[in-house]
Amino acid sequence: MTAQEVRLCGLLLREHFGEVVEKVGTHLLRNGAQNLRAIIHETGLSVDLVKKSLCVLVQHRACFCRSGRKGPGSPTEYQTSDDRILRILRYPRYIYTAKTLYGDTGELIIEELLQRGHMTMSSVVKTVADRLTQNMEEGHSMEYSEVSSAFSKLVETHFLQRCTPLALVETRDSNDQSAPISTAPPTPESFPECYKVPHVTLIGRGKRQLITEDGEEQRDAKRAKMDTETHGDEGIYWQVNFDRFHLHFRDQAIISAVANKLDQTSSEIVRTMLRMSEVTTSPIATCTKSLSSNEIFRSLPASYNIPRPVFDQYLTLLVDDPMEFVGKAGESGGGMFVVNLHRALANLARATLESVVQERFGSRSARIFRLLLRKHHLEQKQVEDFAMIPAKEAKDMLYSLLSKNLVQLQEIPKTPDYAPSRTFYLYTVNQLSTARMLLQNCYKTVANLIERRLFESRESKRLLEKSQRIEAILASLQASGAEPEQLTEVEEMITPPEKQQLDALKLHVNKLDSAENQVDETIFLLESYISSTATST
């Protein structure tokens, strides 16, 4: 757990849950597992605040509890998961992916579960149906059955999964109290009903939220009455399966890389292979299950009506490509083919590193970096000759890369005394350690972007609050059918200079948000490569 990761986790906790939760979360990140009494004593917070903070963290799976290390009867200990907290950064991407695949209904289902940590299916269906009805025209409403259908599709494709039952967690904990806390989601092997949708008795439509205060009170009272009803899924809670989303992001990155390197038809062949093997391939596998060319050809979309000889040529092209995204595993069935997942991630990470070197140090330094990646070990004179760069410039570029730890220097002595005149000095690039260093730089960059965005919002807090009040008044007047003159009068409460300042602030904040999402894409690639390398070794 590095300082940059703790800092970023603290900023994410503060932005989403407040300063008290941030204080408790960062304390546990720095000090490891602790019991309630130790947390209260060392943070200086009240018992009530610490308990509420831990409840929030547990609700969102950012904190786990287990029996104390001193044996049965010892106080329960709490430990935070930095990996789970860092996933908060990727929330917009999860929601956008759900919208792309399953429309507005899928988007709101994922959004509700991310906001609340875990919920029952009936609660999700009611809340989402109400929100969709609120945005529909008067007289239209969303049926519960439609939302239930979208929920079932998300479970069927493993984007949602059941929370592990408490009894199962307690059994694991009692079996091995000294084992580290597992942050991995439940698997069908450990929890057979992980992806089983219960039979929920929900009949009706979403209800529109009333504007008046009296109506709001009536709606709340009615909602409380409805919540006492049983729907057949009591005690069965659902959560977002982040690993499944990450597999989807990985597949999309591979498909996009193939499309950029070759063409759209090649990428569609790879997409078909990934889709056919997504259920049978383990998340930690280095390559997909073998598929015959006949199966792949039959599974291609109907829109890609290419002859069989052309298809075979495309497969040969993919296998012979230096990027090695697709490999040949046998000759039966017209040839057996696999997608090399680890090799693909390694090449994507390599391209990212080369891009960073080129942006920071120029094209000539990038040429030297690529040369070292390809040749592994070279002396300075060999670098000058192969890269065709003058000796003085090559020396300066190598030392610049060396000072930033992008290039390493390895000494190979001819004699045991390590005399400089009898020692080879070889430059090399360790792709894995360079990726880890760049990952820490990415964490630092995102933390800086978040801090800047929060600072901009604080500086214009009064103006933002005024704008929100006016927008609320306008919405209320529009709902009650006010005259256009009244709306114009309310809109003029913001002066032209204030409006100009607001537009500039929104533009700046949008740029910072966009930069955060772009850096997160790099973080995802590097994390996937590092994780894949650890698994393959």
Side-chain angles (χ1 to χ4, degrees):
M1 190 70 193
T2 63
Q4 295 302 336
E5 288 175 281
V6 173
R7 177 182 171 225
L8 178 55
C9 287
L11 286 167
L12 291 169
L13 288 174
R14 186 200 308 172
E15 186 178 9
H16 286 79
F17 306 119
E19 293 182 357
V20 178
V21 176
E22 176 205 2
K23 190 171 184 179
V24 173
T26 51
H27 173 76
L28 288 172
L29 286 171
R30 290 192 177 100
N31 298 281
Q34 287 193 332
N35 58 44
L36 182 62
R37 184 176 180 181
I39 298 169
I40 294 167
H41 175 71
E42 294 180 18
T43 57
L45 298 170
S46 66
V47 179
D48 188 47
L49 283 177
V50 171
K51 285 183 177 180
K52 287 179 179 177
S53 299
L54 289 172
C55 281
V56 169
L57 291 171
V58 170
Q59 174 81 7
H60 289 268
R61 291 185 292 154
C63 180
F64 300 85
C65 52
R66 65 175 179 187
S67 300
R69 286 168 286 186
K70 295 181 180 179
S74 59
T76 301
E77 292 184 336
Y78 300 89
Q79 182 173 340
T80 48
S81 166
D82 59 304
D83 181 67
R84 177 62 188 82
I85 296 171
L86 290 173
R87 295 292 79 82
I88 295 173
L89 186 64
R90 215 160 283 157
Y91 277 9
R93 201 172 173 190
Y94 298 140
I95 294 169
Y96 178 74
T97 301
K99 182 181 178 68
T100 306
L101 296 175
Y102 299 100
D104 293 339
T105 308
E107 174 194 11
L108 291 182
I109 289 171
I110 296 296
E111 184 182 331
E112 284 294 326
L113 284 167
L114 289 175
Q115 283 183 346
R116 305 196 188 189
H118 58 260
M119 298 171 69
T120 61
M121 179 178 174
S122 54
S123 300
V124 174
V125 169
K126 287 179 184 178
T127 307
V128 171
D130 290 352
R131 287 183 62 183
L132 288 168
T133 301
Q134 189 67 27
N135 295 325
M136 288 181 170
E137 295 179 2
E138 195 69 36
H140 293 79
S141 59
M142 174 62 70
E143 290 190 6
Y144 288 156
S145 59
E146 291 185 41
V147 183
S148 297
S149 175
F151 191 98
S152 299
K153 287 178 183 176
L154 284 163
V155 176
E156 185 182 335
T157 49
H158 295 187
F159 286 107
L160 297 180
Q161 61 182 184
R162 287 196 191 187
C163 297
T164 311
L166 186 61
L168 185 60
V169 175
E170 289 174 350
T171 304
R172 288 179 186 168
D173 194 47
S174 61
N175 290 339
D176 189 1
Q177 295 174 1
S178 62
I181 294 174
S182 173
T183 61
T187 60
E189 291 77 18
S190 63
F191 179 30
E193 297 183 341
C194 187
Y195 301 111
K196 183 180 178 182
V197 180
H199 179 68
V200 178
T201 55
L202 266 177
I203 301 171
R205 294 173 173 269
K207 292 166 181 59
R208 197 174 297 274
Q209 184 177 350
L210 301 177
I211 302 299
T212 61
E213 289 183 344
D214 293 335
E216 191 70 44
E217 288 173 5
Q218 292 171 7
R219 180 179 177 278
D220 288 343
K222 192 172 182 181
R223 169 63 61 86
K225 185 179 179 181
M226 285 177 62
D227 286 344
T228 59
E229 300 175 6
T230 58
H231 302 286
D233 67 338
E234 288 71 28
I236 301 174
Y237 291 92
W238 295 87
Q239 61 192 4
V240 176
N241 184 1
F242 297 114
D243 283 356
R244 179 65 183 86
F245 274 102
H246 293 168
L247 293 180
H248 178 76
F249 297 156
R250 180 202 65 191
D251 292 350
Q252 292 303 308
I254 293 172
I255 293 164
S256 176
V258 172
N260 292 333
K261 181 75 165 53
L262 300 173
D263 65 357
Q264 195 62 38
T265 305
S266 301
S267 70
E268 196 60 42
I269 292 171
V270 174
R271 185 198 303 274
T272 303
M273 293 175 69
L274 289 169
R275 189 180 67 245
M276 291 171 67
S277 58
E278 65 183 356
V279 178
T280 58
T281 303
S282 167
I284 59 173
T286 56
C287 62
T288 61
K289 296 290 184 182
S290 300
L291 298 167
S292 70
S293 60
N294 295 329
E295 290 177 313
I296 302 168
F297 183 72
R298 285 196 298 268
S299 301
L300 278 174
S303 57
Y304 281 84
N305 189 18
I306 58 174
R308 181 57 191 263
V310 176
F311 170 76
D312 290 336
Q313 289 176 0
Y314 268 110
L315 277 178
T316 305
L317 181 67
L318 284 165
V319 172
D320 294 340
D321 189 76
M323 300 294 278
E324 299 178 16
F325 283 155
V326 175
K328 195 166 187 179
E331 298 294 338
S332 58
M336 303 296 290
F337 297 89
V338 296
V339 179
N340 296 318
L341 302 174
H342 174 63
R343 174 55 56 189
L345 288 172
N347 280 318
L348 290 172
R350 178 173 175 166
T352 302
L353 297 178
E354 291 174 4
S355 175
V356 168
V357 173
Q358 181 157 339
E359 292 297 322
R360 288 188 63 185
F361 300 98
S363 58
R364 288 191 166 190
S365 295
R367 190 192 308 170
I368 291 174
F369 189 78
R370 279 194 293 269
L371 182 65
L372 290 172
L373 278 171
R374 189 172 295 112
K375 299 289 187 180
H376 301 296
H377 293 87
L378 289 175
E379 289 183 292
Q380 184 174 317
K381 183 69 171 66
Q382 292 175 306
V383 171
E384 297 163 8
D385 294 340
F386 284 130
M388 293 184 289
I389 297 173
K392 187 176 183 302
E393 291 183 27
K395 184 178 179 180
D396 290 342
M397 291 171 185
L398 279 169
Y399 287 175
S400 296
L401 293 171
L402 191 63
S403 66
K404 299 297 182 183
N405 292 324
L406 291 166
V407 166
Q408 289 80 38
L409 188 62
Q410 187 171 349
E411 299 178 1
I412 302 179
K414 295 179 185 177
T415 55
D417 59 355
Y418 278 84
S421 60
R422 294 186 294 276
T423 302
F424 291 110
Y425 294 95
L426 302 179
Y427 289 94
T428 185
V429 174
N430 186 331
Q431 185 172 323
L432 184 60
S433 64
T434 308
R436 286 198 178 104
M437 182 194 69
L438 182 60
L439 181 61
Q440 296 303 316
N441 289 344
C442 288
Y443 288 145
K444 182 179 180 181
T445 302
V446 173
N448 289 343
L449 288 167
I450 293 174
E451 282 195 334
R452 183 66 195 179
R453 179 162 50 79
L454 294 174
F455 172 78
E456 293 284 346
S457 301
R458 280 198 305 271
E459 288 293 299
S460 305
K461 185 179 179 181
R462 184 197 61 80
L463 189 60
L464 286 170
E465 288 176 350
K466 180 179 179 181
S467 173
Q468 288 170 356
R469 284 197 302 272
I470 291 172
E471 285 176 3
I473 294 170
L474 282 171
S476 178
L477 289 173
Q478 286 172 348
S480 59
E483 296 293 328
E485 292 79 9
Q486 288 179 290
L487 298 176
T488 306
E489 186 179 342
V490 173
E491 286 174 354
E492 289 174 352
M493 290 171 65
I494 293 185
T495 62
E498 287 178 332
K499 190 173 182 182
Q500 189 176 0
Q501 189 180 347
L502 264 176
D503 291 341
L505 175 64
K506 287 177 181 177
L507 180 64
H508 198 182
V509 169
N510 287 340
K511 283 183 178 179
L512 291 170
D513 279 334
S514 177
E516 282 177 40
N517 292 331
Q518 289 173 355
V519 176
D520 181 59
E521 289 181 16
T522 304
I523 288 174
F524 172 73
L525 272 180
L526 296 174
E527 284 180 342
S528 300
Y529 164 64
I530 292 167
S531 174
S532 175
T533 305
T535 304
S536 63
T537 53

